Amino acid sequence: MLTFIGLGLFDEKDISLKGLEAIKNADMVFAEFYTSRLMGSSLEELESLYGKKVNLLLREDVEISPDWLAEAKDKNVAFLTGGDTMVSTTHVDLRLRAKNLGIETKLIHGSSIASAICGLSCLQNYRFGKASTIPHPYTSSRGVTVISETPYDTIKLNKEHNMHTLVFLDIDKDKGYMTVNQALSLLLQVEEKRGEGIMENAIVVGIARAGSEAPVVKAGYAHDLKDEDFGEPLHILVIPASLHFIEAEALVGLLGAPSEILEGLDD
């Protein structure tokens, strides 16, 4: 049996009772923290809570050579991820591999940034369109710095359909955790290049350390929030479309957005 367990948003206390019980009953425990990680906990703190050794997997151990899967043929194996399990395509692929090996699988869900973002940003959950990820820029073979324009296109498409955009920020083992500031700077650079007005007067919401005791959540114009201090990772960004009056009032009253965004809104 292979049990996929989502650990929640921030620290070791976010796990469900069902998930904790499954880990304690497991013969072996594996985890990957390259798609997401619990910034409020260390591996040692997790092991202390579980009373079990946690075998930390690298990307290649999950995506290329998951030889450890064979352990689940005759043992109870727990596979841990940050957030909610199965949100990443990588985990779906792993479940398919397990099925092809004749291994039974089970899912135990955890709190996810995909749902938490709605409460933190005060934006209505059914108004979110396609999500996107802003990757770190890279240097081409010709020595040119390349900034991906795909996130900009996703935001543009969602705005055309009056949908909000959830923007994940890159986690890179060499370049580190992308910040809201870096993400907005990249989007504004694409805006300057293309001049399409998507980000020029855009209200955005920046969020840091969702699930912690003191998350930072700020709303404002992109060019203003670019210089705000959001503190330690993980960060995430939301680009709203047009605002319902309740959304706008919440952004102003709770998240510090400029009151002028309330002008001209219908009740």
Side-chain angles (χ1 to χ4, degrees):
M1 168 72 79
L2 176 63
T3 303
F4 293 82
I5 303 173
L7 300 181
L9 293 171
F10 187 71
D11 61 26
E12 75 279 6
K13 297 177 183 177
D14 283 339
I15 191 172
S16 67
L17 292 176
K18 185 182 293 184
L20 182 58
E21 181 181 21
I23 293 174
K24 288 182 176 293
N25 291 332
D27 299 313
M28 300 186 73
V29 181
F30 296 90
E32 70 84 0
F33 294 131
Y34 66 86
T35 57
S36 183
R37 62 164 297 179
L38 304 181
M39 299 303 295
S41 288
S42 65
L43 187 64
E44 291 74 22
E45 288 171 318
L46 295 177
E47 290 180 330
S48 177
L49 175 64
Y50 305 154
K52 291 285 178 73
K53 174 178 173 55
V54 177
N55 300 281
L56 191 59
L57 301 170
L58 302 176
R59 182 185 291 268
E60 50 266 34
D61 298 324
V62 178
E63 298 182 0
I64 300 174
S65 302
D67 299 330
W68 56 274
L69 271 180
E71 299 285 354
K73 288 184 177 181
D74 53 14
K75 296 178 183 176
N76 285 324
V77 174
F79 175 72
L80 316 181
T81 64
D84 187 21
T85 190
M86 293 296 125
V87 170
S88 172
T89 304
T90 292
H91 305 149
V92 178
D93 177 69
L94 195 60
R95 192 180 184 195
L96 287 170
R97 289 174 185 251
K99 181 179 180 180
N100 290 336
L101 291 172
I103 298 169
E104 185 180 354
T105 61
K106 179 181 178 181
L107 309 181
I108 299 178
H109 297 284
S111 53
S112 169
I113 191 64
S115 55
I117 205 74
C118 302
L120 289 168
S121 69
C122 303
L123 299 173
Q124 296 164 349
N125 65 339
Y126 60 85
R127 295 196 58 213
F128 277 79
K130 179 182 177 181
S132 187
T133 299
I134 298 181
H136 285 282
Y138 68 93
T139 303
S140 71
S141 58
R142 295 180 294 174
V144 177
T145 299
V146 179
I147 298 174
S148 173
E149 298 185 18
T150 300
Y152 186 93
D153 290 327
T154 299
I155 295 166
K156 178 182 177 182
L157 179 64
N158 282 340
K159 279 181 173 284
E160 289 173 353
H161 292 87
N162 201 22
M163 305 293 283
H164 306 318
T165 307
L166 172 58
V167 184
F168 295 99
L169 307 186
D170 198 9
I171 298 174
D172 185 272
K173 65 178 181 179
D174 297 318
K175 298 178 181 179
Y177 303 98
M178 182 177 287
T179 65
V180 166
N181 315 85
Q182 292 170 315
L184 288 174
S185 178
L186 293 170
L187 288 172
L188 289 168
Q189 287 181 62
V190 177
E191 173 71 66
E192 183 177 3
K193 172 185 175 182
R194 293 173 50 165
E196 297 182 19
I198 302 301
M199 298 298 301
E200 184 177 2
N201 294 306
I203 290 290
V204 304
V205 181
I207 298 172
R209 298 174 302 286
S212 70
E213 291 293 327
V216 172
V217 188
K218 299 180 181 181
Y221 291 110
H223 55 263
D224 292 330
L225 255 59
K226 178 174 64 70
D227 299 318
E228 287 283 340
D229 181 10
F230 286 86
E232 295 297 311
L234 295 172
H235 292 189
I236 200 160
L237 183 65
V238 181
I239 314 295
S242 66
L243 296 167
H244 182 274
F245 76 93
I246 291 294
E247 293 177 313
E249 288 180 359
L251 292 186
V252 172
L254 299 175
L255 307 185
S259 59
E260 62 197 57
I261 71 171
L262 297 172
E263 297 173 6
L265 291 177
D266 295 328
D267 291 340

